[in-house]
Amino acid sequence: MNADSFGRTVDYLRISVTDRCDERCLYCMPEGYRGWVQRDDHMTADEIIRVAEAATRLGFRKFRVTGGEPLVRADIAEIARRLWDLPGVQTLGISTNGTRLASVAKDLKRAGVRSINVSLDALAPELYRRITGGRVESVLAGIDAALGAGFEVIKINCVLMRGINEGEVLPLTRYAAEREMPIRFIELMPVSRADVLDRSSFLSVQELMRRLEREGMLLPLPDFRPGHGPAKYYAYEPIGAKVGFIGALTTRGFCETCNKLRLTADGKLRPCLGRHGEIDLLGSLRAGQTDPAGPLLQAIANKPENHEFAACYEPGRPMTAIGG
Ligand code: SAM
Ligand code: SF4
């Protein structure tokens, strides 16, 4: 089992399969982003599987496919199936904006995907369009299809933005509870469109929890872990919802349980979302180095103790190109 320099077990690989996306979320995609990784720069399905296979040999057990929007890749179900077929993979998830889920949910389920995270920042169609540029109706249809396909876990992700989607918190929580889906509220990380979102758009999960508690109890659910990420879950009694909070910026000790590495769509290993520092894994693979295990071990060794978001960290590439 892989322990990093701070004693954390690293067994979770988040694989970005593209930096492309059919939406333009304010917090993720800079206006006019043209930095698409070129087709040849993207890892092929074979390359992704080579890396994942090496990771399983090192003890990685949890895999999540993300992007950009992973469902824009035509071979997404094939990638999922081949990942699931690797010996040692215990769980496989996909993070998606949901716009294309209606047409592929069944294929993904058949391929072995266990868990789906769907981003949904607003139910109101106009507001959804303002935040993402997309149509909420297609996302809701995607969620219905995922519910019908019978995944083990379907979670809703909502990024909190003061003055933008605060009014959506309760409608979204009700929507999720009615379908027995956990919902997670995520603090805005400073990797967004500075012309639209700035510090004044930030809303902490602590403030949201205090607001929710004015209407009823939030009971901690320490044993409820529907995923492998950093969310802390509570039962919200007035609505009967399971609500998770991801406070990367304000939660003390947030990084203490970090268990993951990220692999970007152009094959760079990132030990931490909130720090510079990448290892060019794809470069060494294409140069003829046969085993990705070396760069994976190096990335584990390079994992820093904490992210640097509080120190006005700005990543060298936007979120869509990192893989959220
Ligand atoms: N396209 C997919 C989606 O939207 O779920 C997967 C990729 S997206 C980058 C993964 C997650 O990162 C989403 O839940 C998204 O809301 C979140 N995210 C993106 N930019 C963020 C930011 N600046 N702060 C916090 N979360 C962010
Ligand atoms: Fe696309 Fe997801 Fe980024 Fe939104 S958060 S722009 S849906 S990759």
Side-chain angles (χ1 to χ4, degrees):
M1 204 49 82
N2 300 300
D4 71 1
S5 324
F6 304 95
R8 298 170 297 197
T9 299
V10 181
D11 63 352
Y12 181 13
L13 186 63
R14 287 180 75 104
I15 303 172
S16 172
V17 295
T18 180
D19 70 347
R20 298 174 193 220
C21 187
D22 54 355
E23 293 197 325
R24 291 285 179 276
C25 298
L26 297 175
Y27 45 72
C28 177
M29 180 85 71
E31 178 77 349
Y33 177 61
R34 294 281 177 275
W36 302 121
V37 174
Q38 297 304 302
R39 187 172 289 276
D40 284 352
D41 295 335
H42 275 106
M43 287 179 295
T44 63
D46 285 346
E47 287 164 340
I48 291 169
I49 299 304
R50 274 180 74 186
V51 178
E53 189 276 329
T56 59
R57 275 190 276 122
L58 296 176
F60 282 74
R61 296 288 172 260
K62 303 156 192 163
F63 292 80
R64 176 163 291 274
V65 175
T66 179
E69 174 46 40
L71 304 194
V72 303
R73 251 186 99 138
D75 57 355
I76 188 66
E78 181 205 335
I79 292 171
R81 182 187 54 73
R82 292 178 64 187
L83 284 172
W84 182 245
D85 283 348
L86 291 173
V89 173
Q90 282 173 359
T91 172
L92 176 61
I94 289 197
S95 292
T96 173
N97 61 26
T99 56
R100 297 168 182 228
L101 198 47
S103 55
V104 289
K106 281 190 184 145
D107 292 341
L108 295 176
K109 176 72 175 57
R110 263 195 298 271
V113 174
R114 293 313 203 236
S115 142
I116 301 266
N117 289 354
V118 184
S119 290
L120 185 59
D121 301 320
L123 284 170
E126 268 316 302
L127 182 57
Y128 182 87
R129 177 176 290 284
R130 189 178 141 212
I131 297 170
T132 68
R135 291 179 64 251
V136 74
E137 294 83 356
S138 52
V139 182
L140 301 182
I143 293 171
D144 285 345
L147 288 164
F151 292 96
E152 277 169 21
V153 181
I154 306 173
K155 302 196 282 302
I156 301 296
N157 282 340
C158 172
V159 176
L160 290 169
M161 288 165 281
R162 189 188 292 280
I164 298 183
N165 67 346
E166 291 162 271
E168 294 289 312
V169 166
L170 287 179
L172 283 167
T173 305
R174 272 189 213 101
Y175 169 84
E178 281 160 14
R179 290 158 185 78
E180 297 185 12
M181 300 182 292
I183 181 163
R184 308 185 307 169
F185 292 103
I186 303 173
E187 278 177 357
L188 182 64
M189 290 180 275
V191 294
S192 41
R193 270 183 61 188
D195 55 326
V196 185
L197 301 176
D198 57 24
R199 278 169 189 266
S200 68
S201 320
F202 182 78
L203 175 61
S204 72
V205 294
Q206 277 78 14
E207 183 173 340
L208 178 65
M209 289 171 78
R210 281 197 299 276
R211 287 187 196 178
L212 291 172
E213 281 179 321
R214 277 186 220 136
E215 309 301 323
M217 300 257 279
L218 276 170
L219 299 174
L221 296 173
D223 299 328
F224 182 65
R225 286 188 58 79
H228 305 283
K232 299 236 176 333
Y233 284 90
Y234 294 77
Y236 187 47
E237 292 215 312
I239 296 182
K242 291 200 166 80
V243 186
F245 299 95
I246 303 183
L249 280 92
T250 62
T251 305
R252 193 175 307 144
F254 183 81
C255 303
E256 282 169 10
T257 52
C258 184
N259 55 355
K260 59 180 161 286
L261 292 184
R262 287 184 155 78
L263 180 63
T264 67
D266 56 345
K268 310 278 195 295
L269 282 168
R270 266 187 95 96
C272 175
L273 177 62
R275 287 253 188 173
H276 297 291
E278 296 179 343
I279 293 174
D280 184 9
L281 173 52
L282 185 58
S284 50
L285 265 191
R286 289 185 178 172
Q289 183 185 322
T290 48
D291 193 344
L296 283 162
L297 287 170
Q298 187 61 55
I300 294 170
N302 289 4
K303 263 184 84 64
E305 187 169 15
N306 295 302
H307 63 63
E308 283 185 329
F309 285 128
C312 299
Y313 164 83
E314 281 188 23
R317 34 161 129 203
M319 191 72 151
T320 189
I322 296 174

mmCIF file of all heavy atoms in Angstrom, residues 101-102 104-106 109 114-116 118 120 139-156 175-182:
data_model
loop_
_atom_site.group_PDB
_atom_site.id
_atom_site.type_symbol
_atom_site.label_atom_id
_atom_site.label_comp_id
_atom_site.label_asym_id
_atom_site.label_seq_id
_atom_site.Cartn_x
_atom_site.Cartn_y
_atom_site.Cartn_z
ATOM 1 N N LEU A 101 -25.856 12.346 -20.397
ATOM 2 C CA LEU A 101 -26.009 11.110 -19.633
ATOM 3 C C LEU A 101 -27.195 10.276 -20.117
ATOM 4 O O LEU A 101 -27.153 9.041 -20.079
ATOM 5 C CB LEU A 101 -26.176 11.494 -18.156
ATOM 6 C CG LEU A 101 -25.945 10.464 -17.079
ATOM 7 C CD1 LEU A 101 -24.662 9.683 -17.287
ATOM 8 C CD2 LEU A 101 -25.954 11.162 -15.713
ATOM 9 N N ALA A 102 -28.249 10.973 -20.589
ATOM 10 C CA ALA A 102 -29.452 10.222 -20.969
ATOM 11 C C ALA A 102 -29.118 9.166 -22.018
ATOM 12 O O ALA A 102 -29.644 8.051 -21.978
ATOM 13 C CB ALA A 102 -30.520 11.181 -21.501
ATOM 14 N N VAL A 104 -26.123 7.685 -22.624
ATOM 15 C CA VAL A 104 -25.066 6.694 -22.338
ATOM 16 C C VAL A 104 -25.171 6.031 -20.967
ATOM 17 O O VAL A 104 -24.356 5.155 -20.647
ATOM 18 C CB VAL A 104 -23.637 7.288 -22.473
ATOM 19 C CG1 VAL A 104 -23.279 7.563 -23.896
ATOM 20 C CG2 VAL A 104 -23.460 8.512 -21.607
ATOM 21 N N ALA A 105 -26.170 6.415 -20.172
ATOM 22 C CA ALA A 105 -26.237 5.880 -18.798
ATOM 23 C C ALA A 105 -26.215 4.351 -18.790
ATOM 24 O O ALA A 105 -25.441 3.731 -18.040
ATOM 25 C CB ALA A 105 -27.490 6.406 -18.095
ATOM 26 N N LYS A 106 -27.023 3.747 -19.646
ATOM 27 C CA LYS A 106 -27.097 2.273 -19.635
ATOM 28 C C LYS A 106 -25.763 1.654 -20.044
ATOM 29 O O LYS A 106 -25.318 0.658 -19.469
ATOM 30 C CB LYS A 106 -28.198 1.782 -20.579
ATOM 31 C CG LYS A 106 -29.578 1.887 -19.973
ATOM 32 C CD LYS A 106 -30.572 1.156 -20.847
ATOM 33 C CE LYS A 106 -31.981 1.344 -20.304
ATOM 34 N NZ LYS A 106 -32.982 1.424 -21.354
ATOM 35 N N LYS A 109 -23.364 1.846 -17.190
ATOM 36 C CA LYS A 109 -23.693 0.862 -16.149
ATOM 37 C C LYS A 109 -23.201 -0.522 -16.575
ATOM 38 O O LYS A 109 -22.563 -1.237 -15.793
ATOM 39 C CB LYS A 109 -25.214 0.863 -15.918
ATOM 40 C CG LYS A 109 -25.706 -0.185 -14.933
ATOM 41 C CD LYS A 109 -25.302 0.189 -13.508
ATOM 42 C CE LYS A 109 -25.853 -0.735 -12.441
ATOM 43 N NZ LYS A 109 -25.522 -2.122 -12.568
ATOM 44 N N ARG A 114 -19.778 2.246 -11.199
ATOM 45 C CA ARG A 114 -20.549 2.059 -9.971
ATOM 46 C C ARG A 114 -21.222 3.333 -9.512
ATOM 47 O O ARG A 114 -22.295 3.303 -8.934
ATOM 48 C CB ARG A 114 -19.620 1.581 -8.831
ATOM 49 C CG ARG A 114 -19.039 0.189 -9.036
ATOM 50 C CD ARG A 114 -20.149 -0.683 -9.436
ATOM 51 N NE ARG A 114 -20.003 -2.090 -9.196
ATOM 52 C CZ ARG A 114 -20.104 -3.022 -10.130
ATOM 53 N NH1 ARG A 114 -20.252 -2.675 -11.396
ATOM 54 N NH2 ARG A 114 -20.062 -4.290 -9.821
ATOM 55 N N SER A 115 -20.501 4.446 -9.730
ATOM 56 C CA SER A 115 -20.955 5.684 -9.106
ATOM 57 C C SER A 115 -20.891 6.835 -10.106
ATOM 58 O O SER A 115 -19.939 6.934 -10.886
ATOM 59 C CB SER A 115 -20.056 5.921 -7.884
ATOM 60 O OG SER A 115 -19.767 7.266 -7.730
ATOM 61 N N ILE A 116 -21.945 7.671 -10.082
ATOM 62 C CA ILE A 116 -21.994 8.824 -10.987
ATOM 63 C C ILE A 116 -22.145 10.085 -10.138
ATOM 64 O O ILE A 116 -23.033 10.137 -9.283
ATOM 65 C CB ILE A 116 -23.224 8.733 -11.928
ATOM 66 C CG1 ILE A 116 -23.198 7.459 -12.758
ATOM 67 C CG2 ILE A 116 -23.342 9.969 -12.786
ATOM 68 C CD1 ILE A 116 -22.589 7.590 -14.114
ATOM 69 N N VAL A 118 -23.065 13.994 -10.580
ATOM 70 C CA VAL A 118 -23.586 14.933 -11.572
ATOM 71 C C VAL A 118 -23.518 16.346 -11.002
ATOM 72 O O VAL A 118 -24.018 16.602 -9.904
ATOM 73 C CB VAL A 118 -25.048 14.601 -11.947
ATOM 74 C CG1 VAL A 118 -25.523 15.540 -13.062
ATOM 75 C CG2 VAL A 118 -25.191 13.151 -12.389
ATOM 76 N N LEU A 120 -24.729 20.009 -10.647
ATOM 77 C CA LEU A 120 -26.007 20.706 -10.836
ATOM 78 C C LEU A 120 -26.019 21.893 -9.877
ATOM 79 O O LEU A 120 -26.190 21.727 -8.676
ATOM 80 C CB LEU A 120 -27.161 19.730 -10.531
ATOM 81 C CG LEU A 120 -28.586 20.220 -10.778
ATOM 82 C CD1 LEU A 120 -28.795 20.636 -12.229
ATOM 83 C CD2 LEU A 120 -29.600 19.119 -10.416
ATOM 84 N N VAL A 139 -29.822 17.910 -18.325
ATOM 85 C CA VAL A 139 -29.179 17.322 -17.144
ATOM 86 C C VAL A 139 -30.201 16.520 -16.332
ATOM 87 O O VAL A 139 -29.918 15.394 -15.887
ATOM 88 C CB VAL A 139 -28.557 18.427 -16.260
ATOM 89 C CG1 VAL A 139 -27.852 17.818 -15.060
ATOM 90 C CG2 VAL A 139 -27.608 19.287 -17.071
ATOM 91 N N LEU A 140 -31.397 17.098 -16.171
ATOM 92 C CA LEU A 140 -32.413 16.394 -15.387
ATOM 93 C C LEU A 140 -32.814 15.089 -16.082
ATOM 94 O O LEU A 140 -33.018 14.057 -15.430
ATOM 95 C CB LEU A 140 -33.634 17.295 -15.161
ATOM 96 C CG LEU A 140 -33.325 18.607 -14.418
ATOM 97 C CD1 LEU A 140 -34.603 19.414 -14.188
ATOM 98 C CD2 LEU A 140 -32.614 18.367 -13.091
ATOM 99 N N ALA A 141 -32.866 15.126 -17.407
ATOM 100 C CA ALA A 141 -33.159 13.890 -18.149
ATOM 101 C C ALA A 141 -32.026 12.882 -17.943
ATOM 102 O O ALA A 141 -32.252 11.670 -17.813
ATOM 103 C CB ALA A 141 -33.341 14.197 -19.635
ATOM 104 N N GLY A 142 -30.804 13.379 -17.895
ATOM 105 C CA GLY A 142 -29.649 12.499 -17.664
ATOM 106 C C GLY A 142 -29.711 11.857 -16.289
ATOM 107 O O GLY A 142 -29.418 10.662 -16.128
ATOM 108 N N ILE A 143 -30.093 12.641 -15.291
ATOM 109 C CA ILE A 143 -30.191 12.092 -13.934
ATOM 110 C C ILE A 143 -31.300 11.024 -13.890
ATOM 111 O O ILE A 143 -31.120 9.947 -13.302
ATOM 112 C CB ILE A 143 -30.452 13.220 -12.913
ATOM 113 C CG1 ILE A 143 -29.222 14.126 -12.837
ATOM 114 C CG2 ILE A 143 -30.804 12.646 -11.535
ATOM 115 C CD1 ILE A 143 -29.416 15.403 -12.027
ATOM 116 N N ASP A 144 -32.429 11.314 -14.536
ATOM 117 C CA ASP A 144 -33.511 10.311 -14.580
ATOM 118 C C ASP A 144 -33.007 9.015 -15.207
ATOM 119 O O ASP A 144 -33.298 7.918 -14.721
ATOM 120 C CB ASP A 144 -34.701 10.838 -15.401
ATOM 121 C CG ASP A 144 -35.492 11.886 -14.622
ATOM 122 O OD1 ASP A 144 -35.301 11.973 -13.392
ATOM 123 O OD2 ASP A 144 -36.268 12.626 -15.269
ATOM 124 N N ALA A 145 -32.244 9.155 -16.288
ATOM 125 C CA ALA A 145 -31.729 7.951 -16.963
ATOM 126 C C ALA A 145 -30.763 7.203 -16.048
ATOM 127 O O ALA A 145 -30.770 5.964 -15.989
ATOM 128 C CB ALA A 145 -31.030 8.346 -18.267
ATOM 129 N N ALA A 146 -29.951 7.941 -15.318
ATOM 130 C CA ALA A 146 -28.989 7.291 -14.414
ATOM 131 C C ALA A 146 -29.743 6.576 -13.292
ATOM 132 O O ALA A 146 -29.391 5.447 -12.911
ATOM 133 C CB ALA A 146 -28.023 8.326 -13.848
ATOM 134 N N LEU A 147 -30.798 7.212 -12.778
ATOM 135 C CA LEU A 147 -31.596 6.559 -11.726
ATOM 136 C C LEU A 147 -32.212 5.281 -12.280
ATOM 137 O O LEU A 147 -32.220 4.238 -11.616
ATOM 138 C CB LEU A 147 -32.685 7.507 -11.215
ATOM 139 C CG LEU A 147 -32.186 8.676 -10.340
ATOM 140 C CD1 LEU A 147 -33.259 9.752 -10.216
ATOM 141 C CD2 LEU A 147 -31.764 8.172 -8.960
ATOM 142 N N GLY A 148 -32.680 5.346 -13.513
ATOM 143 C CA GLY A 148 -33.293 4.169 -14.136
ATOM 144 C C GLY A 148 -32.290 3.054 -14.396
ATOM 145 O O GLY A 148 -32.637 1.872 -14.375
ATOM 146 N N ALA A 149 -31.038 3.436 -14.638
ATOM 147 C CA ALA A 149 -30.025 2.430 -14.990
ATOM 148 C C ALA A 149 -29.541 1.663 -13.755
ATOM 149 O O ALA A 149 -28.918 0.600 -13.892
ATOM 150 C CB ALA A 149 -28.838 3.107 -15.688
ATOM 151 N N GLY A 150 -29.774 2.221 -12.560
ATOM 152 C CA GLY A 150 -29.493 1.459 -11.344
ATOM 153 C C GLY A 150 -28.057 1.493 -10.858
ATOM 154 O O GLY A 150 -27.515 0.500 -10.386
ATOM 155 N N PHE A 151 -27.405 2.655 -10.939
ATOM 156 C CA PHE A 151 -26.051 2.774 -10.369
ATOM 157 C C PHE A 151 -26.115 2.637 -8.853
ATOM 158 O O PHE A 151 -27.129 2.966 -8.233
ATOM 159 C CB PHE A 151 -25.439 4.134 -10.742
ATOM 160 C CG PHE A 151 -25.144 4.272 -12.200
ATOM 161 C CD1 PHE A 151 -26.040 4.896 -13.050
ATOM 162 C CD2 PHE A 151 -23.980 3.745 -12.726
ATOM 163 C CE1 PHE A 151 -25.784 5.004 -14.400
ATOM 164 C CE2 PHE A 151 -23.709 3.845 -14.075
ATOM 165 C CZ PHE A 151 -24.612 4.470 -14.917
ATOM 166 N N GLU A 152 -25.011 2.170 -8.267
ATOM 167 C CA GLU A 152 -24.998 2.024 -6.807
ATOM 168 C C GLU A 152 -25.163 3.373 -6.118
ATOM 169 O O GLU A 152 -25.849 3.487 -5.110
ATOM 170 C CB GLU A 152 -23.660 1.408 -6.352
ATOM 171 C CG GLU A 152 -23.632 -0.092 -6.466
ATOM 172 C CD GLU A 152 -22.225 -0.646 -6.259
ATOM 173 O OE1 GLU A 152 -21.371 0.034 -5.658
ATOM 174 O OE2 GLU A 152 -21.997 -1.771 -6.722
ATOM 175 N N VAL A 153 -24.458 4.372 -6.663
ATOM 176 C CA VAL A 153 -24.482 5.700 -6.037
ATOM 177 C C VAL A 153 -24.614 6.758 -7.123
ATOM 178 O O VAL A 153 -23.909 6.700 -8.136
ATOM 179 C CB VAL A 153 -23.158 5.974 -5.282
ATOM 180 C CG1 VAL A 153 -23.198 7.343 -4.612
ATOM 181 C CG2 VAL A 153 -22.854 4.899 -4.264
ATOM 182 N N ILE A 154 -25.536 7.704 -6.912
ATOM 183 C CA ILE A 154 -25.589 8.892 -7.763
ATOM 184 C C ILE A 154 -25.583 10.086 -6.818
ATOM 185 O O ILE A 154 -26.431 10.174 -5.925
ATOM 186 C CB ILE A 154 -26.855 8.933 -8.636
ATOM 187 C CG1 ILE A 154 -26.987 7.648 -9.449
ATOM 188 C CG2 ILE A 154 -26.838 10.153 -9.556
ATOM 189 C CD1 ILE A 154 -28.301 7.532 -10.206
ATOM 190 N N LYS A 155 -24.598 10.966 -6.998
ATOM 191 C CA LYS A 155 -24.503 12.119 -6.111
ATOM 192 C C LYS A 155 -24.623 13.399 -6.939
ATOM 193 O O LYS A 155 -24.205 13.436 -8.098
ATOM 194 C CB LYS A 155 -23.138 12.141 -5.383
ATOM 195 C CG LYS A 155 -22.872 10.893 -4.558
ATOM 196 C CD LYS A 155 -21.752 11.089 -3.563
ATOM 197 C CE LYS A 155 -20.351 11.045 -4.087
ATOM 198 N NZ LYS A 155 -19.874 9.883 -4.785
ATOM 199 N N ILE A 156 -25.165 14.426 -6.297
ATOM 200 C CA ILE A 156 -25.247 15.739 -6.943
ATOM 201 C C ILE A 156 -24.148 16.632 -6.360
ATOM 202 O O ILE A 156 -23.950 16.644 -5.141
ATOM 203 C CB ILE A 156 -26.631 16.386 -6.676
ATOM 204 C CG1 ILE A 156 -27.761 15.492 -7.203
ATOM 205 C CG2 ILE A 156 -26.717 17.777 -7.279
ATOM 206 C CD1 ILE A 156 -27.757 15.291 -8.691
ATOM 207 N N TYR A 175 -34.771 18.425 -4.195
ATOM 208 C CA TYR A 175 -34.724 17.613 -5.425
ATOM 209 C C TYR A 175 -33.909 16.339 -5.194
ATOM 210 O O TYR A 175 -34.320 15.239 -5.551
ATOM 211 C CB TYR A 175 -34.118 18.455 -6.556
ATOM 212 C CG TYR A 175 -33.758 17.684 -7.800
ATOM 213 C CD1 TYR A 175 -34.710 17.410 -8.782
ATOM 214 C CD2 TYR A 175 -32.461 17.204 -7.986
ATOM 215 C CE1 TYR A 175 -34.375 16.689 -9.919
ATOM 216 C CE2 TYR A 175 -32.113 16.483 -9.112
ATOM 217 C CZ TYR A 175 -33.076 16.232 -10.078
ATOM 218 O OH TYR A 175 -32.733 15.496 -11.196
ATOM 219 N N ALA A 176 -32.737 16.498 -4.554
ATOM 220 C CA ALA A 176 -31.870 15.340 -4.312
ATOM 221 C C ALA A 176 -32.529 14.379 -3.324
ATOM 222 O O ALA A 176 -32.546 13.151 -3.536
ATOM 223 C CB ALA A 176 -30.517 15.808 -3.782
ATOM 224 N N ALA A 177 -33.111 14.932 -2.253
ATOM 225 C CA ALA A 177 -33.719 14.073 -1.221
ATOM 226 C C ALA A 177 -34.876 13.268 -1.798
ATOM 227 O O ALA A 177 -35.028 12.078 -1.494
ATOM 228 C CB ALA A 177 -34.200 14.930 -0.047
ATOM 229 N N GLU A 178 -35.664 13.896 -2.658
ATOM 230 C CA GLU A 178 -36.819 13.185 -3.237
ATOM 231 C C GLU A 178 -36.377 11.970 -4.054
ATOM 232 O O GLU A 178 -37.116 11.024 -4.230
ATOM 233 C CB GLU A 178 -37.615 14.137 -4.146
ATOM 234 C CG GLU A 178 -38.520 15.079 -3.364
ATOM 235 C CD GLU A 178 -38.937 16.312 -4.171
ATOM 236 O OE1 GLU A 178 -38.751 16.297 -5.423
ATOM 237 O OE2 GLU A 178 -39.413 17.267 -3.560
ATOM 238 N N ARG A 179 -35.158 12.023 -4.549
ATOM 239 C CA ARG A 179 -34.637 10.908 -5.359
ATOM 240 C C ARG A 179 -33.614 10.071 -4.602
ATOM 241 O O ARG A 179 -32.916 9.260 -5.199
ATOM 242 C CB ARG A 179 -34.018 11.478 -6.644
ATOM 243 C CG ARG A 179 -35.084 12.024 -7.577
ATOM 244 C CD ARG A 179 -34.559 13.036 -8.563
ATOM 245 N NE ARG A 179 -35.671 13.592 -9.333
ATOM 246 C CZ ARG A 179 -36.510 14.531 -8.891
ATOM 247 N NH1 ARG A 179 -36.360 15.044 -7.680
ATOM 248 N NH2 ARG A 179 -37.508 14.950 -9.642
ATOM 249 N N GLU A 180 -33.524 10.340 -3.301
ATOM 250 C CA GLU A 180 -32.596 9.611 -2.410
ATOM 251 C C GLU A 180 -31.150 9.694 -2.881
ATOM 252 O O GLU A 180 -30.393 8.728 -2.794
ATOM 253 C CB GLU A 180 -33.054 8.156 -2.237
ATOM 254 C CG GLU A 180 -34.411 8.089 -1.572
ATOM 255 C CD GLU A 180 -34.847 6.681 -1.279
ATOM 256 O OE1 GLU A 180 -34.024 5.753 -1.378
ATOM 257 O OE2 GLU A 180 -36.027 6.506 -0.948
ATOM 258 N N MET A 181 -30.796 10.866 -3.402
ATOM 259 C CA MET A 181 -29.406 11.080 -3.821
ATOM 260 C C MET A 181 -28.731 11.999 -2.798
ATOM 261 O O MET A 181 -29.309 13.027 -2.437
ATOM 262 C CB MET A 181 -29.347 11.767 -5.194
ATOM 263 C CG MET A 181 -30.007 10.982 -6.307
ATOM 264 S SD MET A 181 -29.839 11.824 -7.919
ATOM 265 C CE MET A 181 -30.859 13.267 -7.705
ATOM 266 N N PRO A 182 -27.520 11.675 -2.356
ATOM 267 C CA PRO A 182 -26.790 12.639 -1.543
ATOM 268 C C PRO A 182 -26.455 13.866 -2.389
ATOM 269 O O PRO A 182 -26.240 13.748 -3.597
ATOM 270 C CB PRO A 182 -25.500 11.902 -1.163
ATOM 271 C CG PRO A 182 -25.729 10.474 -1.497
ATOM 272 C CD PRO A 182 -26.784 10.423 -2.560
#
